[in-house]
Amino acid sequence: MSPFAIGGIAFLCVFGAASIGMLLRSRLPDHHLSPDSRDAIKLATAVIGTLSALALGLLIASAKRSFDEAGVELRTTAARILLLDRVLAHYGQEAAESRDTLRRLIETRLSQAAAAGESVMDDGLDVEPIQDTLRKLLPQTDAQRWLQSRALQLSGQIAEARWLRAETEAGGFPGAFLAFLILWLSLLFGSFGILAPRNGTVIMIFLVCALSITGALVLIIDMDHPYLGFIQVSDAPLRMALQRLGQP
């Protein structure tokens, strides 16, 4: 489910619960809203508010960790691409085809990502064509044999990062965790509606708060998918690496 869909559900639940609470207020007997009853409701909502704050904190920490790890992964991949190009350069003219393939691969992926408005690493870099050309090399010296082995190792690490990223993006926050968080927020705002008078100012405040919660959830969930959402890691490291590829 997309972050906006989850945010929309959260908005309907939270604002709907507040509205239902205000409607119930006019129907409840007076003794249900006595000072003692209000104190009990406030104590209960304080517990729910604490749980909601802890859950939001965990979501933010998890999303931030995913975003930071994606940035480190992209920089690491860019460094490995540069190192692979230098290894092929030291191998000799026989590896020129692999170097050209590597450059074309990155140029194509960058242009496709720019056209689609997505991250360049949303599905990783397919280096299998480069690995095929590397396996066809016939090293003549021990140095070339070591360089070929090193190039295959680096290309394998780049390919591994691609599949690891695909597996990571397929995950995300547990649905039950988000469902309980939305439930707690709905209960919290439902209790606010019961205690609050029904007037335009209160309704507007509840509306703004519900929209704020929706925006926060959308941003947090989107940040947990740094290659797919509108909050994406920068592809600047890969563009810088492209500028340095092919140097003698």
Side-chain angles (χ1 to χ4, degrees):
M1 188 177 295
S2 70
F4 289 101
I6 296 175
I9 293 173
F11 173 79
L12 293 176
C13 292
V14 172
F15 187 69
S19 300
I20 293 173
M22 286 188 291
L23 291 175
L24 287 176
R25 175 186 171 86
S26 61
R27 298 176 180 272
L28 291 175
D30 292 339
H31 67 276
H32 283 200
L33 297 176
S34 64
D36 291 339
S37 298
R38 288 174 174 269
D39 291 340
I41 293 174
K42 290 178 181 179
L43 288 174
T45 55
V47 175
I48 297 176
T50 302
L51 291 174
S52 301
L54 290 173
L56 280 172
L58 290 174
L59 288 180
I60 293 172
S62 177
K64 184 63 167 59
R65 183 175 62 253
S66 297
F67 193 83
D68 290 342
E69 288 177 352
V72 172
E73 178 187 340
L74 183 58
R75 291 191 294 271
T76 302
T77 298
R80 286 171 176 167
I81 289 172
L82 278 175
L83 184 55
L84 175 59
D85 181 70
R86 298 313 307 156
V87 169
L88 295 175
H90 286 293
Y91 186 93
Q93 188 61 33
E94 299 91 333
E97 180 183 356
S98 297
R99 299 184 72 190
D100 292 339
T101 302
L102 179 62
R103 184 176 186 87
R104 288 196 304 270
L105 175 65
I106 298 176
E107 289 175 341
T108 301
R109 192 66 193 90
L110 284 170
S111 61
Q112 290 176 347
E118 61 187 15
S119 173
V120 68
M121 288 291 289
D122 66 328
D123 59 353
L125 295 174
D126 185 7
V127 295
E128 290 185 4
I130 299 175
Q131 291 178 312
D132 291 338
T133 58
L134 289 175
R135 295 187 185 98
K136 294 177 182 178
L137 294 176
L138 299 175
Q140 302 299 319
T141 64
D142 290 340
Q144 286 187 331
R145 279 188 285 273
W146 183 88
L147 290 169
Q148 182 191 34
S149 175
R150 179 60 173 156
L152 287 170
Q153 179 187 19
L154 289 169
S155 63
Q157 290 173 338
I158 297 172
E160 180 182 5
R162 175 196 180 193
W163 295 113
L164 285 175
R165 172 47 48 189
E167 291 296 328
T168 302
E169 288 295 342
F173 297 128
F177 189 86
L178 290 173
F180 270 102
L181 175 59
I182 294 174
L183 174 62
W184 292 337
L185 291 172
S186 300
L187 291 174
L188 193 63
F189 274 76
S191 65
F192 292 163
I194 291 176
L195 297 178
R198 187 168 60 181
N199 56 57
T201 301
V202 172
I203 294 174
M204 183 58 63
I205 291 298
F206 283 162
L207 178 62
V208 172
C209 290
L211 289 173
S212 300
I213 291 173
T214 298
L217 284 177
V218 169
L219 291 176
I220 293 170
I221 297 172
D222 189 80
M223 187 182 292
D224 192 53
H225 298 82
Y227 293 128
L228 300 178
F230 59 90
I231 302 178
Q232 298 179 354
V233 294
S234 173
D235 59 3
L238 206 60
R239 294 187 180 277
M240 294 178 62
L242 179 61
Q243 297 175 359
R244 300 176 61 182
L245 289 179
Q247 296 182 1

